[in-house]
Amino acid sequence: MQAVLQNTSRYLSGGRSGHLIVIGLLVVMFIVGAVLSDRFATSNNLLNVYEQSAGLAFVSLGQTLTILTGGIDLSVGSIISLVAMLTSGLINGNPAMVLPVVLFVLVLGTLIGVMNGAAVVVTGVHPLIVTLGTGAIVQGVALLYGLGPTGKVPLNFDTFAYGRIAGKISIGATIAIALFLLVWFILRYTRSGRYVYAVGDDPHAARLMALPHKRVLIGVYAASGFFAALTAVYLVSRFGVGQPYTGANYTLASITPVVVGGTMLAGGRGGVIGTLLGVYLVSLLNNVLNFMDVSSHFQLVVQGLVIILAVSVYVEKRRVA
Amino acid sequence: MMSVSAMPEKDATSGAFVHTKLMPILTHYGIFLFLVLAILVSGLITPAFVSRDNISNMLMQLAPLGIVVIGQAFVILVRGLDLSVASVMATSAVVATSFSGQNGDAAWVVLAAISVGIATGLINGLLVTKRNVSPFLATLATMIVLQGLRFAWTQGAPSGNVPPFFRSIGTGAFYGVPYNVVIMFIVAIVLAIVLHRSAFGRRMYITGGNPVTAKLVGISSDRITIAAYVICGALAAGAGLILSGFVGVVDNFVGRGFELDSIVAAVMGGVALSGGRGTVAGALAGAAILVVISNAVVMFGLPVQLQTIIKGVVIVVAASLYVNRSH
């Protein structure tokens, strides 16, 4: 037990030097942006980048947890789509329904996550295949609920996405930071948090030491489902309505910040702070590319190259260590 | 559904018979039994399902997926995964529209498209073997890069035409057998011989089954792995051409969903994600089941959305049956 905890803390500190790479890239990106345009380094632009990072931040927070256990959640996109449709569909413009519906969909997302985790634990099938399957099911249910944008939300529902503290600091993005810090604390200082690393680092050893690995797995997929649902509520707040493909791009997009932030797909190494930096890196990168007048098409190319670059760097580190 | 064929042996009282006779048969041929059963049941519910037209229709839908799933099976056999196949398919289809659109260019189109597939496979293979990048991320990255290049090249919407030659390959038939199905079976037979009868195939199984053993017996597992990704890329490019001929219209997303469908079909067909286990015939049967399910839902007059839901259920159930058997 002690050994596992020591190991995991060693990995955590290894993760911190990984943070330096991402921070370095953020600084480089900032300098490039500032050189490119006078409007880049203004508080206005940077606050916008901050505001726009919220959606990606929520979903990748949950994804980090599943990847830390050596799994992955490919159903988040479908969960976002279904929950987004239910949010605007059930509220349907009625202010009195906002609170109950938001609570309901957050619980629903969590329950879908619990089912994902249970399916992983019970069947023993690789999470990639399990969540691919459950993702297809959830997407099908979303399409049964409606084939296009469904329902509407009250006007002030956009506070979550567009509200600003003192007219400057985005509320949604700040909530995201708070949640990242909360999860970071849980991972770092609670027993359950250490178990997440232990299960991901060596599932066999975790089982031998009688760690509650089944509960840990169900827990991380439940968290992933919850954060996917939260992303959905955010997106409805931002766009005013949910439609059956609201979350389609988020499944793969949620993985990029995680791996760029230094969390290994093999599990057991990395952490949420790296992911948060990864989210900011992706957001800042898109912003800089906009200033460079790079077409949105080439932005994809750059994103793909960043993934290759990032994973190559981290692999190199592992070999040296 | 799977349980229809799997249930009886659980109720049987003679356990020895079950374990020595029935289980091996189910393990090896369960997927084929299920395919036959699915076709029979669907035919009983809706006779039109087994009509000549509908079977020909399903075979035409099967051809592109069948070709991709064989490549996917090769990659999974060596413990890999290829998420870039759909992106390769779309890119190959866009390549097909980037020439004059006349039959005179058909050979160049094939050459250019297959080259794109081979190049992508080579990059995937090199990233996985030489840079030790996880297959999931390596192929995810090439998928995104290809998509971006495609968008930039076409400025969002491809405009050219597919040479009529591909149109006739994609939709024409030879004495009632669609051309693209003939191509699929030729590809399947050739690659089945390569996999199950050649030294290369044997090396693939050893590499996927146990890389350490592979190294000890002097197999360059890097080279075998790269070859698997290259074969997969080339097949995906070919499938993209066939699909563009079948659909007739090319957009930037030809083959959308094929990356997941091909993985699912391969896994359903008994290709183990842990590597070293699986056959070409099994993978094809997995693909056929996906096509049968999609088609049956439409023929039964059920809501099309059920396609996705049933597919999801079948994936998880089928995959879990394989896991339990291996224990």
Side-chain angles (χ1 to χ4, degrees), chain B residues 67-68 70-72 74 89 114 187 191 230-240:
Chain B
I67 292 173
V68 175
I70 295 172
Q72 191 70 261
F74 269 58
M89 289 176 76
I114 303 289
V187 168
L191 287 176
V230 168
I231 291 171
C232 185
L235 288 179

Side-chain angles (χ1 to χ4, degrees), chain A residues 87-103:
Chain A
T87 306
S88 57
L90 294 178
I91 291 177
N92 209 8
N94 181 358
M97 289 295 282
V98 169
L99 193 62
V101 168
V102 168
L103 287 179

Side-chain angles (χ1 to χ4, degrees), chain B residues 34-78:
Chain B
F34 180 62
L35 177 60
V36 171
L37 208 68
I39 294 173
L40 285 180
V41 170
S42 307
L44 281 177
I45 297 176
T46 315
F49 181 84
V50 284
S51 71
R52 198 190 147 99
D53 276 356
N54 194 46
I55 288 181
S56 159
N57 183 14
M58 280 193 288
L59 280 172
M60 270 202 237
Q61 283 174 19
L62 172 65
L65 181 59
I67 292 173
V68 175
V69 82
I70 295 172
Q72 191 70 261
F74 269 58
V75 171
I76 297 178
L77 265 178
V78 293

Side-chain angles (χ1 to χ4, degrees), chain B residues 18-301:
Chain B
V18 167
H19 281 287
T20 55
K21 294 272 164 59
L22 210 54
M23 271 320 269
I25 292 178
L26 281 177
T27 310
H28 285 106
Y29 303 110
I31 182 81
F32 302 106
L33 290 177
F34 180 62
L35 177 60
V36 171
L37 208 68
I39 294 173
L40 285 180
V41 170
S42 307
L44 281 177
I45 297 176
T46 315
F49 181 84
V50 284
S51 71
R52 198 190 147 99
D53 276 356
N54 194 46
I55 288 181
S56 159
N57 183 14
M58 280 193 288
L59 280 172
M60 270 202 237
Q61 283 174 19
L62 172 65
L65 181 59
I67 292 173
V68 175
V69 82
I70 295 172
Q72 191 70 261
F74 269 58
V75 171
I76 297 178
L77 265 178
V78 293
R79 300 191 168 186
L81 202 63
D82 193 346
L83 291 180
S84 68
V85 286
S87 212
V88 169
M89 289 176 76
T91 309
S92 136
V94 165
V95 166
T97 63
S98 299
F99 288 80
S100 67
Q102 304 301 314
N103 275 343
D105 281 337
W108 291 114
V109 168
V110 173
L111 195 68
I114 303 289
S115 305
V116 170
I118 289 176
T120 311
L122 193 62
I123 295 171
N124 285 336
L126 287 173
L127 281 173
V128 169
T129 56
K130 305 298 181 195
R131 296 299 312 163
N132 216 358
V133 177
S134 87
F136 186 89
L137 285 180
T139 58
L140 173 67
T142 50
M143 171 191 113
I144 296 174
V145 170
L146 267 184
Q147 188 182 335
L149 289 175
R150 199 165 63 239
F151 274 56
W153 169 254
T154 60
Q155 294 299 320
S159 52
N161 289 316
V162 182
F165 172 72
F166 294 108
R167 200 84 185 96
S168 51
I169 291 283
T171 55
F174 177 77
Y175 288 109
V177 184
Y179 285 124
N180 61 12
V181 177
V182 176
I183 294 178
M184 181 195 78
F185 277 118
I186 292 175
V187 168
I189 290 168
V190 170
L191 287 176
I193 292 172
V194 168
L195 189 60
H196 304 304
R197 290 283 176 271
S198 78
F200 172 76
R202 198 134 295 282
R203 290 189 186 123
M204 280 194 54
Y205 278 106
I206 299 174
T207 302
N210 190 337
V212 180
T213 314
K215 198 170 181 180
L216 289 177
V217 296
I219 294 170
S220 166
S221 45
D222 279 7
R223 235 181 275 171
I224 301 287
T225 304
I226 294 171
Y229 280 99
V230 168
I231 291 171
C232 185
L235 288 179
L241 290 180
I242 286 173
L243 188 62
S244 69
F246 176 63
V247 182
V249 185
V250 169
D251 67 16
N252 269 318
F253 292 105
V254 171
R256 184 192 337 223
F258 268 62
E259 66 276 66
L260 304 184
D261 279 0
S262 62
I263 295 170
V264 165
V267 170
M268 281 205 312
V271 184
L273 279 180
S274 49
R277 209 152 44 94
T279 61
V280 169
L284 271 185
I289 286 175
L290 283 188
V291 172
V292 165
I293 290 173
S294 303
N295 188 278
V297 166
V298 176
M299 295 300 280
F300 295 169

Side-chain angles (χ1 to χ4, degrees), chain A residues 30-63:
Chain A
F30 185 84
I31 295 172
V32 170
V35 169
L36 278 171
S37 166
D38 300 340
R39 284 177 298 129
F40 174 82
T42 57
S43 61
N44 216 349
N45 179 52
L46 294 177
L47 285 172
N48 280 337
V49 174
Y50 177 62
E51 179 183 80
Q52 284 155 12
S53 68
L56 191 58
F58 292 129
V59 66
S60 4
L61 177 55
Q63 191 67 269

Side-chain angles (χ1 to χ4, degrees), chain A residues 237-281:
Chain A
S237 163
R238 186 162 160 186
F239 298 122
V241 69
Q243 47 102 359
Y245 292 105
T246 297
N249 291 328
Y250 278 85
T251 302
L252 296 179
S254 69
I255 298 167
T256 310
V258 180
V259 296
V260 168
T263 299
M264 298 284 175
L265 279 192
R269 245 175 304 176
V272 291
I273 300 300
T275 301
L276 185 61
L277 294 172
V279 168
Y280 292 146
L281 190 68

